Amino acid sequence: MDQPRAAARLRVLLGQLGRRSAGAVIAHPTSGAVPPAGFHPQQFQYTRDNSVLTLEQRQFYEDNGFLVIKKLVSDADIECFRNEFERICRKEVEPMRLVVMRDVTIAKSEYVPSEKMITKVQDFQEDEELFRYCTLPEVLKYVECFTGPNIMAMHTMLINKPPDSGKKTSCHPLHQDLHYFPFRPSNNIVCAWTAMEHIDRNNGCLAVLPGTHKSSLKPHHYPQWEEEGVNGIFHGIEDDDENNDQVHLVVEKGDTVFFHPLLIHGSGRNKTQGFQKVTALVSSKQSQPLRDMMDPGQEATTLASRDDILITNAFSPKIIDRKGK
Ligand SMILES: CC(C)CC(=O)SCCNC(=O)CCNC(=O)[C@H](O)C(C)(C)COP(=O)(O)OP(=O)(O)OC[C@H]1O[C@@H](n2cnc3c(N)ncnc32)[C@H](O)[C@@H]1OP(=O)(O)O
Ligand SMILES: O=C(O)CCC(=O)C(=O)O
């Protein structure tokens, strides 16, 4: 190659390399127009380049750390998940590795197999029907907007917030999910949270602090209202300020909230006699061998000050096979 051509080629290559610096993904203007002098392409840090999200949706997630996609999951699928959950409650099926959580106010009562007794089931990756949620193409399509391809299901939950017993134990204090996760990097992780029914402030909707995904992982502890009862491992951020700018997300059945693991969020008391049902998937891109994704500094999350029960971090990876999807 002659020298001027080689120099020109080098400039192009350096330009391309420069665009990928600092781990940022860059969105290109789609108008095809030549950018004006001094134009700086927009830096996106929390979303990936693909054609699924509109620029507005992308910008919203970048700024706020969450995004609501209306009516994403069908009523028919939600009905299937609800039926399977009820079968688990009646002990008709007992999937391996499933963690069944009961509300602290009923944990010591005699176990009567019914949905009233169960606050949430976690790690349902071995339940074929519930795990179907984690393979729904319509959900994964959006997950990939935040994680990129090669997704693993890291943690799964079906939440069934029962009517509050009067002790406010159905509240989930403001927290960051990353507190529970030993794997990194956080920008490759997203939670998909799908409402299985109408959820508003009466049955304890999700409350978020927009923009907090840009902060670091904060110290967590049991909240001050502990005397009123707090469920095991319902840790909250230490500097929980009651005057913070919480946004309450009122959602309909099938609506799905995608949120960053550093976004501070929680949920309120269920003041109704019904439930607040949600199915949720925390997924991450598998960017390297799993052992290299672990953060050695992240301690296991423990159940209160009880020495007899140690809960390791909420983490049970399963590769999501997207073949043919
Ligand atoms: C992003 C995401 C990860 C965020 C979160 O979800 S944070 C919340 C996560 N929560 C959890 O992971 C809790 C999971 N595990 C549980 O709730 C389980 O029920 C366990 C607490 C481990 C106990 O289960 P299990 O082994 O079946 O044993 P038992 O039902 O016989 O209870 C053993 C002792 O534990 C007590 N217990 C049960 N459930 C709770 C509770 N919700 N809060 C506080 N204490 C609880 C129970 O009273 C019993 O105490 P003792 O009789 O031994 O004194
Ligand atoms: O849906 C809820 O009640 C809140 C769930 C939540 O914040 C969580 O599990 O991390």
Side-chain angles (χ1 to χ4, degrees):
M1 201 183 278
D2 61 75
Q3 264 202 338
R5 274 181 61 205
R9 177 86 190 118
L10 188 61
R11 270 199 305 278
V12 171
L13 278 173
L14 288 175
Q16 285 169 350
L17 287 173
R19 284 214 302 266
R20 297 266 163 216
S21 65
V25 181
I26 291 147
H28 301 277
T30 52
S31 66
V34 178
F39 172 83
H40 293 287
Q42 195 163 8
Q43 298 277 323
F44 285 122
Q45 204 182 340
Y46 303 101
T47 55
R48 315 281 149 202
D49 278 334
N50 71 22
S51 54
V52 176
L53 297 183
T54 65
L55 191 57
E56 288 71 27
Q57 288 174 319
R58 248 184 120 161
Q59 195 61 59
F60 187 91
Y61 189 90
E62 293 280 332
D63 294 342
N64 296 289
F66 71 96
L67 182 69
V68 183
I69 304 293
K70 305 295 286 176
K71 272 274 161 227
L72 186 64
V73 177
S74 71
D75 288 2
D77 280 328
I78 289 174
E79 206 46 41
C80 294
F81 305 145
R82 179 183 284 271
N83 290 340
E84 182 68 0
F85 173 68
E86 286 171 6
R87 289 180 68 217
I88 292 173
C89 294
R90 293 193 298 270
K91 292 200 165 195
E92 288 169 20
V93 278
E94 297 186 48
M96 274 165 59
R97 301 199 180 90
L98 189 82
V99 174
V100 176
M101 177 183 169
R102 293 202 270 160
D103 188 88
V104 63
T105 54
I106 51 176
K108 287 186 197 302
S109 63
E110 196 189 335
Y111 182 72
V112 184
S114 94
E115 71 165 345
K116 290 203 173 64
M117 299 298 288
I118 295 185
T119 293
K120 72 159 104 166
V121 293
Q122 290 174 279
D123 294 333
F124 58 63
Q125 67 274 12
E126 300 305 326
D127 185 293
E128 204 179 315
E129 184 55 27
L130 290 185
F131 194 73
R132 215 167 50 71
Y133 170 71
C134 309
T135 66
L136 290 177
E138 58 272 38
V139 173
L140 296 180
K141 177 175 95 171
Y142 282 99
V143 164
E144 281 188 345
C145 296
F146 310 105
T147 62
N150 301 328
I151 320 164
M152 282 190 303
M154 305 303 256
H155 185 69
T156 48
M157 292 181 273
L158 193 149
I159 302 166
N160 180 52
K161 191 192 285 248
D164 195 273
S165 63
K167 300 200 160 159
K168 297 190 184 163
T169 53
S170 62
C171 292
H172 199 142
L174 290 173
H175 65 281
Q176 294 166 302
D177 282 356
L178 202 67
H179 169 66
Y180 297 94
F181 304 145
F183 47 91
R184 300 290 184 274
S186 58
N187 288 352
N188 281 355
I189 305 171
V190 74
C191 177
W193 179 106
T194 300
M196 294 174 71
E197 57 203 331
H198 171 86
I199 302 177
D200 58 24
R201 291 189 75 170
N202 288 319
N203 57 352
C205 67
L206 211 54
V208 300
L209 296 188
T212 48
H213 65 302
K214 294 177 189 163
S215 62
S216 54
L217 182 58
K218 298 188 182 310
H220 285 60
H221 68 167
Y222 277 106
Q224 294 307 310
W225 33 269
E226 188 169 356
E227 64 278 4
E228 306 208 48
V230 179
N231 280 305
I233 333 188
F234 270 34
H235 297 166
I237 50 167
E238 284 182 5
D239 55 351
D240 179 4
D241 173 3
E242 282 191 5
N243 301 319
N244 56 32
D245 295 324
Q246 286 187 29
V247 171
H248 294 90
L249 303 182
V250 175
V251 284
E252 302 302 331
K253 188 173 177 180
D255 293 356
T256 302
V257 186
F258 293 89
F259 61 90
H260 189 277
L262 281 169
L263 181 77
I264 298 176
H265 68 283
S267 68
R269 187 152 48 118
N270 178 6
K271 294 176 259 182
T272 71
Q273 286 311 303
F275 294 84
Q276 181 255 49
K277 273 198 178 54
V278 169
T279 178
L281 158 71
V282 174
S283 45
S284 171
K285 175 188 177 69
Q286 184 172 14
S287 49
Q288 48 191 325
L290 256 182
R291 64 176 178 280
D292 298 331
M293 288 168 63
M294 294 302 124
D295 177 359
Q298 177 89 351
E299 290 172 7
T301 307
T302 56
L303 184 63
S305 50
R306 300 173 50 129
D307 296 332
D308 51 336
I309 304 180
L310 171 78
I311 308 288
T312 50
N313 301 85
F315 168 52
S316 44
K318 182 166 175 174
I319 288 169
I320 298 175
D321 184 2
R322 293 206 66 193
K323 274 196 208 87
K325 300 264 164 22

